[in-house]
Amino acid sequence: MAIKCDVEVIIKLGGSAVTHKNTFETIKHDAIIAAAKLVKQIKGKCIVIHGAGSFGHFQAHEYGTAHGFSNDASKGRIGFAKTRLSVTELQHTITDVFVANGIPALAVSPCGSWLTSRGVVTRSAVSPIVELLQAGFIPILHGDCVLDDVQGCAILSGDKIIERLVEELRPKRVVFLTDVDGIYDKPPEQEDATLLRKVFVKSDGQMSVTIATSNLKHDVTGGVREKLQTASNIIRISEEHTRVFVVNILSEAVAYSVCNLGVLEGNGTEILAEILISKENLKNKKLIKTQQPA
């Protein structure tokens, strides 16, 4: 059941948007500053969640943290600690930039309050986030290492956190800020890649178009494919209440999607339920019928 808290928007700062994902622990300062200025424009309650990018993923990949402590719990705990140390360093930097820009941002880490079972969330801590929102703060969460009651530990991605927050809070919209202009039909670095302004989710959770994706070897959270699945889940979980946009963090039009309800042509992708096509067509048909001459 949704908790009553009028959340305007959940913003996901993609790891590739705020870090150089191929370069170990390297931050994109301009992008973080842009995100802070963007958040400052929002009227209403806002939650920010950031990916790890080049922070945490390398350590998690090295120690196999996503798969638990394995046969060497001692080594696994060191990997767990190193991964968290890296990710929280990024979180501290983002929070520091936000506060320096006059935003009452507070860092909130899932470790210790969220729990998984074989990677599936079984316990979440949404109430403390709501309390911070109601007190006028902007919580900043991140993908994190958490305890797992079966395998010892697991990686809780920022996208999984968003899904649970959508289920509990029903925000008006979720905006994924990336380093590209939206969702393409194939990896955007390919010359013939086409930007999709709208991607429809079918009733079975599948996308209406085939989208070729790729992800880095050290990305332990699934890359673009996982993000698309998250967007699909948000549509389903929220029963179409929450709108989903994917926009470039440095786009001149990004504020339109974050602060309003849409994407501008060539400046992002909206992901929505396929049933909306039928509703829209039905409305158009009724309109045409009423306009026909007697």
Side-chain angles (χ1 to χ4, degrees):
M1 181 178 293
I3 299 173
K4 288 189 176 181
C5 181
D6 190 18
V7 177
E8 185 70 19
V9 59
I10 294 177
I11 293 177
K12 169 64 186 297
L13 302 179
S16 59
V18 295
T19 76
H20 293 281
K21 210 164 184 179
N22 282 315
T23 308
F24 182 72
E25 295 187 350
T26 307
I27 291 171
K28 293 181 180 177
H29 287 281
D30 289 348
I32 297 174
I33 292 171
K37 291 179 178 179
L38 184 63
V39 169
K40 202 168 183 179
Q41 298 180 52
I42 297 170
K43 307 298 182 183
K45 296 180 175 65
C46 169
I47 300 171
V48 176
I49 301 171
H50 68 82
S54 58
F55 289 75
H57 279 297
F58 287 94
Q59 294 88 342
H61 180 74
E62 177 184 354
Y63 287 90
T65 307
H67 307 294
F69 292 143
S70 188
N71 297 324
D72 190 343
S74 178
K75 181 180 178 181
R77 292 188 185 98
I78 291 296
F80 185 100
K82 286 185 175 182
T83 302
R84 289 213 72 248
L85 186 63
S86 180
V87 171
T88 52
E89 180 182 343
L90 175 59
Q91 183 191 37
H92 177 82
T93 298
I94 293 174
T95 306
D96 185 42
V97 171
F98 275 43
V99 173
N101 278 271
I103 300 169
L106 293 179
V108 180
S109 288
C111 184
S113 56
W114 292 60
L115 182 70
T116 62
S117 182
R118 296 191 188 280
V120 177
V121 176
T122 55
R123 185 183 74 199
S124 57
V126 178
S127 293
I129 297 170
V130 171
E131 291 171 1
L132 292 177
L133 287 169
Q134 292 174 337
F137 293 100
I138 293 182
I140 298 183
L141 292 84
H142 60 89
D144 203 359
C145 301
V146 296
L147 298 179
D148 187 286
D149 63 8
V150 174
Q151 58 190 38
C153 71
I155 297 295
L156 175 65
S157 71
D159 294 336
K160 293 300 180 185
I161 295 172
I162 290 174
E163 288 183 18
R164 181 53 62 93
L165 293 179
V166 167
E167 181 179 0
E168 298 283 349
L169 303 179
R170 293 292 199 273
K172 293 179 182 177
R173 55 196 175 278
V174 173
V175 181
F176 291 86
L177 298 183
T178 72
D179 62 338
V180 294
D181 290 332
I183 299 298
Y184 291 77
D185 61 345
K186 59 188 66 175
E189 61 270 16
Q190 296 185 17
E191 291 184 4
D192 59 342
T194 300
L195 176 65
L196 305 173
R197 186 174 183 185
K198 292 184 178 181
V199 174
F200 294 94
V201 177
K202 299 180 181 181
S203 58
D204 61 0
Q206 299 299 310
M207 297 294 173
S208 59
V209 294
T210 300
I211 300 173
T213 62
S214 61
N215 61 286
L216 302 174
K217 184 175 70 173
H218 60 266
D219 187 344
V220 295
T221 56
V224 175
R225 193 176 302 279
E226 182 66 23
K227 276 56 174 177
L228 289 170
Q229 185 59 57
T230 296
S232 173
N233 292 343
I234 290 170
I235 298 296
R236 176 181 54 81
I237 292 169
S238 72
E239 298 176 328
E240 302 173 36
H241 174 83
T242 301
R243 299 185 71 179
V244 182
F245 308 116
V246 182
V247 190
N248 191 322
I249 195 171
L250 297 178
S251 167
E252 293 181 359
V254 65
Y256 183 84
S257 297
V258 172
C259 301
N260 295 283
L261 292 174
V263 294
L264 299 176
E265 184 69 39
N267 288 278
T269 302
E270 180 174 4
I271 300 175
L272 62 168
E274 191 174 48
I275 190 172
L276 291 181
I277 302 177
S278 300
K279 290 180 179 178
E280 185 177 345
N281 287 344
L282 181 61
K283 181 179 178 180
N284 290 338
K285 287 179 181 178
K286 288 181 178 179
L287 182 61
I288 292 171
K289 186 176 181 180
T290 58
Q291 291 178 342
Q292 289 179 344

